[in-house]
Amino acid sequence: MGNVYGYVRVSTSEQNEDRQLIAMNTVQVPERNIYMDKQSGKDFKRPMYMRMLKRLKQDDVLYIKSIDRLGRDYEEVLEQWRMLTKEKKVDIVVLDMPLLDTRRGRDLMGTFLSDIVLQVLSFVAENERKNIRERQKEGIEAARRRGVRFGRPAKPVPENFEQACGKWEAGEITGREAAMECNMPFSSFYRKAGDRSKQQS
């Protein structure tokens, strides 16, 4: 019997990891053997995950709360699962999905069923992530059509902008001179002047 480890991941520093830590405590994973990353699951370049990999050895058991805590990319999750179970010969237990427990059914049928369940769940997790992204994209587009503006609010133009624009349009000063009078970058002056022309036409 090897050592017992737990892996916890939250996508951002604002998310709460308590639920996952409670689950690790329930299955009696020693606190020193719990590794936690606070970053996206889009790839496996995570410092604590990489540190844990170096410690894992044959017959160790790795607990995770759910398959998407391991990762979000379908192919990479499958590759990591294969590497852990086949190369390192580590057992993995997914607490939210009892069928994904490689300690059970070490015969060919048990392994076969576990692999099928993993592939289906990994596909569902990635598909849901793509659907969320698509819904976000559609929501942003709908908001833009309603006139909602995203990003930082535009800086107000200086008080003498209209006067400087008028002098520039009349040919009294160059665009660079007008920008300098307004204490604006040259590109910003031209952009604001272009917006002003569109509004007047």
Side-chain angles (χ1 to χ4, degrees):
M1 182 69 183
N3 292 316
V4 176
Y5 293 89
Y7 181 66
V8 171
R9 183 183 66 78
V10 289
S11 299
T12 66
S13 57
E14 286 79 28
Q15 287 186 341
N16 195 314
E17 66 276 7
D18 287 353
R19 192 172 62 91
Q20 294 177 68
L21 290 174
I22 290 168
M24 297 301 153
N25 186 54
T26 302
V27 292
Q28 299 181 326
V29 178
E31 193 173 328
R32 67 180 180 279
N33 286 355
I34 297 174
Y35 289 79
M36 180 170 63
D37 282 307
K38 291 193 175 188
Q39 66 184 84
S40 166
K42 66 178 181 178
D43 58 48
F44 284 85
K45 294 171 184 172
R46 311 173 211 142
M48 298 308 289
Y49 182 79
M50 300 304 289
R51 188 179 297 181
M52 180 185 70
L53 277 187
K54 290 178 182 176
R55 288 192 63 187
L56 286 170
K57 58 186 185 301
Q58 186 171 339
D59 295 327
D60 286 344
V61 178
L62 172 61
Y63 286 95
I64 53 174
K65 182 76 169 72
S66 56
I67 194 66
D68 63 352
R69 296 304 87 199
L70 188 60
R72 291 293 181 90
D73 182 274
Y74 169 56
E75 290 184 2
E76 285 202 0
V77 166
L78 293 178
E79 174 56 27
Q80 288 295 309
W81 188 279
R82 186 199 63 76
M83 181 270 293
L84 288 165
T85 58
K86 305 292 195 294
E87 292 178 19
K88 282 187 168 285
K89 293 182 169 49
V90 170
D91 277 312
I92 305 177
V93 180
V94 181
L95 295 172
D96 282 355
M97 180 59 60
L99 277 172
L100 286 178
D101 182 346
T102 60
R103 298 170 304 176
R104 298 181 182 180
R106 286 179 177 273
D107 58 0
L108 186 62
M109 182 55 72
T111 303
F112 176 68
L113 286 173
S114 181
D115 285 349
I116 286 179
V117 172
L118 172 67
Q119 292 207 30
V120 170
L121 286 178
S122 298
F123 174 77
V124 168
E126 185 177 3
N127 203 46
E128 178 59 18
R129 183 167 58 99
K130 286 179 180 175
N131 287 341
I132 288 170
R133 277 207 311 262
E134 190 60 35
R135 288 195 293 269
Q136 286 173 336
K137 185 178 172 185
E138 289 170 357
I140 290 169
E141 185 57 35
R144 280 202 175 116
R145 286 180 186 160
R146 293 196 308 270
V148 176
R149 296 190 61 150
F150 295 90
R152 291 180 297 179
K155 286 184 178 178
V157 295
E159 289 182 10
N160 64 335
F161 177 75
E162 288 290 332
Q163 183 185 359
C165 262
K167 287 162 70 176
W168 170 57
E169 288 168 352
E172 298 173 17
I173 57 175
T174 67
R176 289 191 181 278
E177 288 170 337
M180 286 176 66
E181 278 193 18
C182 296
N183 196 26
M184 294 173 72
F186 186 53
S187 58
S188 297
F189 175 79
Y190 264 112
R191 189 173 64 254
K192 294 288 186 184
D195 292 343
R196 174 177 174 271
S197 297
K198 286 176 189 174
Q199 288 171 0
Q200 289 178 345
S201 59

